[in-house]
Amino acid sequence: MPRPTVATSLSAKLLLLTILFVLLAEVLIYAPSIARFRMGYLEERLAAAHIAALSVEAAPDLMVTKELQAKLLAYTGAHVIDLIQPGARVYMLSRPMPPHADAVYDLRGTGMGMQFVDAGNALWLALEGAFGPQRNRVIRVIDRSPNDPAQRVEVTMDERPLIDAMLDFSRRILAVSVAISLIAAILVYVTLHALLVRPMRRLTAEVVAFRRDPDGAPPLVPGTRADEIGVAERELAAMQGTVRAALRQRERLATLGTAVAKINHDLRGILSTASLLSERLTESADPEVRRVTPRLVASLDRAVELCGQTLSFTRDGVLPLTPAPTDLNHLVEEAGAEVLATARPDGGRVEAEWINQVPAGTLATVDAAQLGRALVNLGRNAVQAGADRVRIAAQAGPAGLLTVTVADTGPGLAPRARENLFQPFAGSARAGGIGLGLAIAREVLRAHGGELRLVESGAAGTVFALDIPQCNAAADPVAVVGHKSFVPH
């Protein structure tokens, strides 16, 4: 498995995200900061204008010279200053030909929202000036004097110095934001790299090494951390131990299964030969020999069946399916014929009733051989357990499935059989069984994308439900092959 590059590594993503998040926080802080800076700038100009206007009060006859007036206006950066005192007394400083104001800003009672808008408009003019000729508006600012709220100050001034000051403030904010972002990103990166990235790399390397060679990879030694990383290390170490033990057991079982399959194959041939030779005992002149011969033949047949089931179970693996539109009514009839041909433990024929209630023409998209195999397993389990009637029905199920029910009148499942119902070699519902019939039937249903379920089981009998894919498209029943090619186990 290729290791991530520097650009795609978790560390690089962590560093980039930290910088972006800090810059985003700075942007959110910048909006109220620039609005507050603009208000502070205007308040300083209003305070300076108030002081300049007071010089009129100290001048003889409330008149200042043109030279002093020009100096005061230049000091405050204004074209016109009006100071309105209580009683409507006005002190005024003005250039000889003051320009007309392009915009008027009354700061009395201006809320934060309007301050954002005014600051945004000023920055928009600065942005326009960056791509074209710079515009210099003349603005008139009105507010209570910062020095004496009882007096009102009105200043007519150029907006360009204000915009230049706001741009300079923005550049300083940007420089500070970038510096804070880099410092914060480096600190967060170093911290999280030590706390998260390095342990995650270690865990990833352990997982990769374990996947490549579960037995050869050294065991993970978990640390003493109490956080999620520590829990993950301990759980991974425990999982590795469990998987190693399971793999060793699986290897031993695979070896044992291969040996059993070979022995089983030879044993099945020996038992088949013994069964054929035993049939000749029925011609014996000894009546006692003729009496016990059917039971002997039945026992040999069951031994051959046991060998066949075990061999098939160890050989099948993933079931190969060939789904096709299948007439369930025909398939159930053929499965019933197989079930009723089953020999009883005493060698006699099964005397049971197979009731096919599946409507003719009911179609399902299934592998007929494999589904027939599952039906035979269920029916054979029922009649060998003592059921004298097996009823098969079908009805529409959820999500495009068809539910087939197999109900018998047997004595019900024993508690041990219910506990290990679908476990191979552990869930036999009858004496002498090995518990493969239901396990194989469930594998068949799951291979079709369905399920085998136990609906109920009691003294009145047992009911199983088989969920199988329903055939949506119309199919020609003649094209559905009626056969007995399935191999029941």
Side-chain angles (χ1 to χ4, degrees):
M1 179 180 296
R3 298 189 63 179
T5 62
V6 175
T8 60
S9 65
L10 183 61
S11 303
K13 294 177 181 178
L14 183 62
L15 181 62
L16 179 60
L17 288 176
T18 304
I19 294 175
L20 290 178
F21 290 155
V22 173
L23 286 177
L24 178 61
E26 292 292 339
V27 169
L28 296 177
I29 296 174
Y30 171 76
S33 298
I34 193 66
R36 186 61 236 171
F37 174 83
R38 179 178 177 275
M39 287 293 295
Y41 181 93
L42 295 177
E43 288 174 354
E44 289 179 0
R45 292 296 176 270
L46 291 171
H50 185 187
I51 295 174
L54 291 178
S55 62
V56 177
E57 187 177 12
D61 300 326
L62 301 179
M63 295 292 292
V64 296
T65 64
K66 293 182 178 181
E67 292 77 6
L68 179 59
Q69 187 172 225
K71 290 181 179 180
L72 293 173
L73 291 173
Y75 168 75
T76 57
H79 296 291
V80 179
I81 298 175
D82 292 329
L83 176 62
I84 297 90
Q85 295 182 332
R89 189 175 184 180
V90 179
Y91 294 154
M92 177 178 167
L93 296 173
S94 176
R95 295 185 185 277
M97 295 293 293
H100 176 72
D102 298 313
V104 178
Y105 294 102
D106 191 343
L107 305 184
R108 294 171 295 180
T110 303
M112 183 60 70
M114 186 56 64
Q115 294 179 22
F116 289 161
V117 173
D118 294 339
N121 291 334
L123 292 177
W124 179 254
L125 291 176
L127 183 62
E128 289 181 346
F131 297 97
Q134 293 185 352
R135 293 178 54 193
N136 178 31
R137 297 193 310 173
V138 176
I139 60 175
R140 185 182 181 190
V141 183
I142 305 171
D143 196 5
R144 296 180 181 88
S145 173
N147 301 323
D148 186 358
Q151 303 182 37
R152 187 174 84 245
V153 181
E154 298 181 5
V155 178
T156 302
M157 55 182 287
D158 293 331
E159 191 180 25
R160 191 69 222 176
L162 170 61
I163 293 176
D164 291 339
M166 293 174 65
L167 291 177
D168 184 64
F169 175 79
S170 300
R171 284 190 288 268
R172 294 198 305 271
I173 287 289
L174 178 61
V176 172
S177 300
V178 171
I180 293 176
S181 299
L182 291 176
I183 295 173
I186 292 173
L187 293 177
V188 172
Y189 170 79
V190 172
T191 302
L192 294 184
H193 189 273
L195 292 178
L196 294 177
V197 177
R198 288 174 55 190
M200 286 300 298
R201 285 181 177 174
R202 177 170 172 251
L203 287 177
T204 303
E206 291 286 347
V207 172
V208 172
F210 184 76
R211 182 186 66 83
R212 291 175 176 172
D213 188 5
D215 291 327
L220 172 65
V221 179
T224 59
R225 295 176 56 165
D227 56 9
E228 290 80 359
I229 296 294
V231 174
E233 290 178 345
R234 289 188 288 273
E235 291 297 325
L236 178 59
M239 184 195 69
Q240 286 183 345
T242 303
V243 171
R244 284 193 177 97
L247 290 176
R248 287 193 292 268
Q249 183 180 11
R250 180 181 178 181
E251 184 178 357
R252 290 195 296 268
L253 289 177
T255 304
L256 179 62
T258 302
V260 170
K262 293 179 179 179
I263 297 172
N264 214 356
H265 182 272
D266 296 338
L267 183 60
R268 187 179 184 185
I270 296 172
L271 291 174
S272 298
T273 302
S275 179
L276 291 175
L277 294 176
S278 298
E279 292 180 356
R280 297 184 179 181
L281 295 178
T282 57
E283 302 174 359
S284 174
D286 189 342
E288 182 64 19
V289 172
R290 291 197 302 272
R291 186 181 66 83
V292 300
T293 294
R295 299 183 61 185
L296 175 61
V297 173
S299 298
L300 290 173
D301 288 341
R302 288 198 304 274
V304 172
E305 177 191 354
L306 185 151
C307 293
Q309 290 180 353
T310 305
L311 186 62
S312 177
F313 183 77
T314 57
R315 183 184 60 235
D316 280 348
V318 178
L319 292 176
L321 297 182
T322 308
T326 303
D327 190 328
L328 286 183
N329 180 274
H330 293 169
L331 190 63
V332 171
E333 286 294 334
E334 293 176 2
E338 290 287 339
V339 171
L340 297 180
T342 303
R344 295 200 310 262
D346 59 1
R349 304 286 295 180
V350 168
E351 296 179 0
E353 186 179 3
W354 183 268
I355 304 173
N356 183 3
Q357 293 184 338
V358 178
T362 301
L363 300 179
T365 305
V366 295
D367 186 311
Q370 296 291 356
L371 183 60
R373 178 185 184 189
L375 290 173
V376 168
N377 285 349
L378 291 172
R380 181 170 291 178
N381 283 348
V383 298
Q384 289 185 345
D388 56 8
R389 186 183 301 110
V390 180
R391 178 179 283 104
I392 315 296
Q395 61 182 2
L401 295 177
L402 190 67
T403 300
V404 178
T405 55
V406 180
D408 64 62
T409 58
L413 297 175
R416 177 180 174 274
R418 293 188 187 183
E419 293 173 0
N420 306 284
L421 192 59
F422 299 108
Q423 296 298 319
F425 307 104
S428 177
R430 57 184 173 85
I434 60 173
L436 282 178
L438 291 178
I440 293 175
R442 193 183 201 189
E443 284 187 1
V444 169
L445 268 297
R446 287 187 170 180
H448 281 85
E451 186 58 271
L452 173 62
R453 299 176 284 111
L454 173 64
V455 179
E456 60 178 333
S457 181
T462 301
V463 179
F464 282 96
L466 297 78
D467 296 324
I468 58 177
Q470 189 172 7
C471 184
N472 294 325
D476 182 6
V478 178
V480 179
V481 179
H483 55 77
K484 296 184 180 181
S485 61
F486 49 84
V487 182
H489 293 298

